[in-house]
Amino acid sequence: MAKKTSVLLIYTGGTIGMIQDLKSGQLRPFDFQHLTEQIPELKKFDTHLSAISFTHPIDSSDMSPEIWVKIATIIKKNYSKYDGFVILHGSDTMAFTASALSFMLENLSKPVILTGSQLPIGIIRTDGKENLITAIEIAASKKKGLPVVSEVCIYFEYHLYRGNRTHKFNAEHFLAFQSSNYPALADAGVHLTYNNSALYKAKKGKLQVHTALDPNISILKLYPGITKNAVHAILNTPGLKGLILETFGAGNCSTQPWFLKAIADKIKKGMIILNISQCNAGSVEQGKYEGGASLQKAGVISGRDMTTEAAVTKLMFVLGHSKSIKEARKQLNLSLVGEMTL
Ligand code: ASP
């Protein structure tokens, strides 16, 4: 008899895991022992489900590189035992975690699906039930004995997205995530329809879990009227090794000489500066306007169509692993796991 497909649920916290105490009306963390009580539909799955819960579930605003390492380590330890993984996570920083894990889990050949909800699972109108049920179904999906999905994804409100392409754009609607620069990997309607040509092709080789992340990075979001003091304060942050410049439109910035000189001087001293756009959709094209062309000349690396979440975690990952600035710059120009369009 064929072995039952098995999925490991990793509960980190967030709204999905809260249940409402009927007496006090307060939200409290969800007990995994009662998972099947809350969602009896789970019993109907022909999939073996196991769960690991953080001892102290967190609001995802408290997410950190240390916790990404903890999650990646849980996956590493259980990798051979399960066919897929579902991570229950607060939606606020879910796109950061999905992006970080996509870089940390090299040669991933099984699905790692993050999901959560805008309303707790114990609330009648919860979006959490459907999100969790379909996330499990995706994590268990196989075609000719092989996983359909072999990458880190976010499943939310009927769509499966590449994790490192997503961004939380709505705090009110159930449709909370978007992936503006990459198509959805699957849509859940009457059928679960995969967009096969968009799915990441698993690389051959053993899973390598990378845990060195360097948090000495920052983001400088440009705006008209930004002062020298504000720019210098960020650029001179003690220990800063990498900076994400959130520029206008297609990678454009002020052409004021003091600004361009401050950027160029830092690059000469070894800082890595990555240019991404403040726009949700589209790509940086550094040669298009005078400001962007000056950034290119100064050695700013184009982040092309990467999300802020992917840029932050890629920079931490690359700085944590590269032996030299040259190697780090080379890595940043590559699409490591489908996070940017070349
Ligand atoms: N504050 C919550 C969190 O991110 C929101 C959510 O889960 O949707 O943990």
Side-chain angles (χ1 to χ4, degrees), residues 13-18 58-62 89-94 116-119 156 168 177:
T15 299
I16 191 167
M18 306 284 167
I58 57 162
D59 183 293
S60 80
S61 333
D62 281 322
H89 193 292
S91 63
D92 290 347
T93 63
M94 192 185 286
S117 65
Q118 298 278 57
L119 280 177
F156 224 87
K168 182 173 178 184
F177 288 89

Side-chain angles (χ1 to χ4, degrees), residues 2-3 6 50 58 66 69 91 104 143 160 173 207 287 315:
K3 206 174 129 249
S6 58
S50 305
I58 57 162
E66 290 74 31
V69 170
S91 63
M104 294 165 81
K143 198 175 169 188
L160 181 74
H173 292 166
L207 177 78
L315 201 48

Side-chain angles (χ1 to χ4, degrees), residues 254-297:
S254 159
T255 55
Q256 297 214 35
W258 68 264
F259 174 76
L260 295 169
K261 184 174 178 322
I263 297 287
D265 285 351
K266 281 294 171 188
I267 294 174
K268 272 187 211 136
K269 287 188 185 138
M271 189 179 287
I272 291 184
I273 305 190
L274 192 58
N275 182 356
I276 62 161
S277 174
Q278 293 176 15
C279 297
N280 264 344
S283 184
V284 162
E285 288 177 64
Q286 287 197 138
K288 204 165 176 184
Y289 297 94
E290 195 188 337
S294 305
L295 293 179
Q296 174 84 11
K297 212 166 131 216

Side-chain angles (χ1 to χ4, degrees), residues 86-242:
V86 171
I87 302 173
L88 292 129
H89 193 292
S91 63
D92 290 347
T93 63
M94 192 185 286
F96 285 94
T97 299
S99 300
L101 290 176
S102 76
F103 299 118
M104 294 165 81
L105 304 174
E106 192 184 343
N107 294 334
L108 184 70
S109 61
K110 296 182 178 183
V112 173
I113 316 295
L114 286 99
T115 196
S117 65
Q118 298 278 57
L119 280 177
I121 220 134
I123 304 274
I124 295 176
R125 279 196 323 111
T126 186
D127 51 330
K129 265 193 189 185
E130 195 286 324
N131 284 349
L132 178 55
I133 288 168
T134 309
I136 294 171
E137 190 167 337
I138 293 167
S141 286
K142 290 195 175 182
K143 198 175 169 188
K144 294 186 187 157
L146 293 173
V148 175
V149 174
S150 47
E151 59 181 301
V152 180
C153 300
I154 286 183
Y155 178 78
F156 224 87
E157 191 63 5
Y158 306 110
H159 300 291
L160 181 74
Y161 303 110
R162 174 165 299 161
N164 57 33
R165 292 289 195 154
T166 55
H167 166 68
K168 182 173 178 184
F169 79 109
N170 201 313
E172 164 68 18
H173 292 166
F174 288 149
L175 186 60
F177 288 89
Q178 62 183 190
S179 165
S180 307
N181 287 324
Y182 200 75
L185 303 180
D187 291 319
V190 172
H191 301 286
L192 191 51
T193 312
Y194 289 97
N195 183 358
N196 288 314
S197 61
L199 291 169
Y200 195 75
K201 308 278 170 292
K203 292 209 180 103
K204 291 210 172 71
K206 230 178 132 227
L207 177 78
Q208 303 276 343
V209 180
H210 302 285
T211 54
L213 299 167
D214 191 332
N216 287 299
I217 66 147
S218 193
I219 302 179
L220 174 56
K221 182 168 183 158
L222 301 183
Y223 52 89
I226 193 165
T227 62
K228 262 187 205 175
N229 283 347
V231 170
H232 285 275
I234 298 261
L235 286 176
N236 294 313
T237 304
L240 193 69
K241 294 185 194 156

Side-chain angles (χ1 to χ4, degrees), residues 63-77:
M63 196 41 71
S64 66
E66 290 74 31
I67 305 178
W68 293 333
V69 170
K70 186 170 160 180
I71 300 171
T73 308
I74 294 175
I75 293 174
K76 183 181 176 181
K77 275 194 192 146

